[in-house]
Amino acid sequence: MRPVLPAALLAILLAACASPPKAPPAAAPAPAPAVTVPPPKIGLALGGGAAKGFAHIGVIKMLEANGIQPAVVAGTSAGSVVGALYAGGMDAYALQQKAVALDEGSIRDVSLFSGGLVKGQKLQDYVNAQLGNRTFAQLKKPFAAVATRLEDGQRTVFVRGNVGQAVRASSAIPGVFEAVTIDKFHYVDGGVVSPVPVDAARELGADIVIAVDISTRPSGAADASSLLGNVNRSIAIMGQKLGAAELARADVVIRPAVNDIGPADFEQRSRAILEGERAAQAALPQIRAKLAAVQAQRLAQARADADARAAQQRAAERKARCAQQRGWLDKWRRDPDCR
């Protein structure tokens, strides 16, 4: 009787010889590269409101104190004054010092030859002096001043040239200030067409726009004896619907409680600043939530783009590898990816 064990061993050996060699294990995919994105660019849209504009300083003060740094600034009327100085490099405390020391006479010049209207040249000279006569391009932050072209009512966004002149045009309240001539056109207060310049801030590249609305919201009886008050109130009424549509495009709207401060009430500047601080502080949770949401969205998009680029690269490498192989049958046998 022949031994069984050697025969079984022989069968195992023959089977092993007939089996094809095992392919080496596939290399583990390379880990996905870490994806980072810069933080969202914050834009500040500062609305018009004459003496109420001191509230903008309080808003900026609270934002800076909480590490929120606007990258671009757009301003209308009083907002253009504060916005220009802020874009020029002044922080909130420097702005507050300027506000406290501001003499109304240093920015108001009445012309007897234009029916007692304010010329605005003093305001232009004041802004340029504070900025060291720098142009828009030389400011620390991108800045836009919004005005209204008198010839056709066109919204005009100034982003180059003489900053003081643009601020003067943006602040030229009809019936109170003389219209400002720039080139062949005349300009008046930007509040007529853009009370809070959200769109201008977006055009400067802002990912998130924080709007500060200090416009007068009509309530109760008006003081018919105040020319500036009546004009300011009329502009606010005209711009309500237009302004509401633009404000709806902001990510966060801050409304300081300054409705009862008169347009020429410079004595209440400290209170206006304080109301700006309070309103900004109340809006901080909303601002942080919006920043986090936009950052998460940008990060998700960046990861999706990175995955798409990696997939395209793998496909290109596979195509190049297949192109190096010769013969259809050879491709079929050697690389399943070429089938």
Side-chain angles (χ1 to χ4, degrees):
M1 183 175 180
R2 300 178 65 184
V4 177
L5 186 59
L9 289 175
L10 181 61
I12 293 172
L13 291 172
L14 290 173
C17 293
S19 299
K22 292 184 179 180
V35 176
T36 59
V37 293
K41 183 182 290 187
I42 301 172
L44 198 56
L46 305 178
K52 303 172 193 286
F54 290 108
H56 293 316
I57 298 173
V59 171
I60 294 171
K61 186 177 178 181
M62 185 56 62
L63 293 179
E64 286 189 340
N66 286 272
I68 299 171
Q69 295 286 343
V72 301
V73 189
T76 289
S77 197
S80 73
V81 179
V82 176
L85 301 184
Y86 183 50
M90 289 188 190
D91 62 17
Y93 291 97
L95 288 171
Q96 186 168 356
Q97 288 179 339
K98 293 293 181 183
V100 170
L102 180 64
D103 175 15
E104 191 178 350
S106 65
I107 58 173
R108 179 174 294 179
D109 46 354
V110 178
S111 172
L112 298 177
F113 299 99
S114 58
L117 296 180
V118 177
K119 291 183 66 176
Q121 184 65 48
K122 277 192 173 182
L123 174 62
Q124 176 177 329
D125 293 344
Y126 173 81
V127 170
N128 281 335
Q130 299 304 315
L131 297 176
N133 292 310
R134 284 175 290 165
T135 64
F136 277 89
Q138 296 169 321
L139 299 179
K140 299 290 186 181
K141 301 176 188 285
F143 169 63
V146 180
T148 305
R149 195 161 66 193
L150 201 54
E151 279 74 12
D152 55 8
Q154 181 70 37
R155 165 183 167 271
T156 303
V157 181
F158 290 100
V159 293
R160 59 178 60 89
N162 187 318
V163 180
Q165 187 181 49
V167 169
R168 176 185 176 187
S170 180
S171 305
I173 303 172
V176 178
F177 281 73
E178 291 181 356
V180 180
T181 303
I182 300 177
D183 296 329
K184 59 180 180 178
F185 296 107
H186 301 84
Y187 297 92
V188 294
D189 196 314
V192 175
V193 292
S194 181
V196 186
V198 174
D199 294 340
R202 195 80 70 183
E203 289 161 9
L204 288 175
D207 300 309
I208 293 175
V209 175
I210 301 172
V212 186
D213 180 17
I214 56 170
S215 60
T216 300
R217 290 175 290 283
S219 60
D223 181 8
S225 64
S226 170
L227 173 62
L228 181 55
N230 287 338
V231 173
N232 192 63
R233 190 181 183 97
S234 299
I235 291 175
I237 292 171
M238 287 188 298
Q240 269 188 322
K241 289 188 177 179
L242 188 63
E246 189 166 2
L247 275 173
R249 294 190 284 274
D251 296 286
V252 178
V253 179
I254 299 175
R255 289 187 171 93
V258 292
N259 204 49
D260 61 335
I261 295 179
D265 200 352
F266 278 65
E267 290 74 18
Q268 294 207 56
R269 67 190 80 184
S270 295
R271 184 196 149 201
I273 293 172
L274 180 59
E275 292 296 346
E277 290 180 32
R278 288 172 175 167
Q281 184 175 30
L284 286 175
Q286 185 184 2
I287 295 171
R288 291 193 178 106
K290 189 64 183 180
L291 286 169
V294 171
Q295 185 71 349
Q297 183 180 13
R298 286 157 57 89
L299 188 57
Q301 184 61 53
R303 285 172 177 161
D305 293 343
D307 290 343
R309 288 193 297 270
Q312 290 176 351
Q313 183 177 357
R314 288 194 298 270
E317 291 172 353
R318 188 164 56 245
K319 184 176 180 180
R321 186 171 64 247
C322 294
Q324 292 175 352
Q325 299 176 1
R326 296 293 181 264
W328 179 87
L329 185 59
D330 191 35
K331 291 180 182 180
W332 181 271
R333 287 176 174 172
R334 291 177 58 188
D335 194 340
D337 289 338
C338 299
R339 296 177 186 177

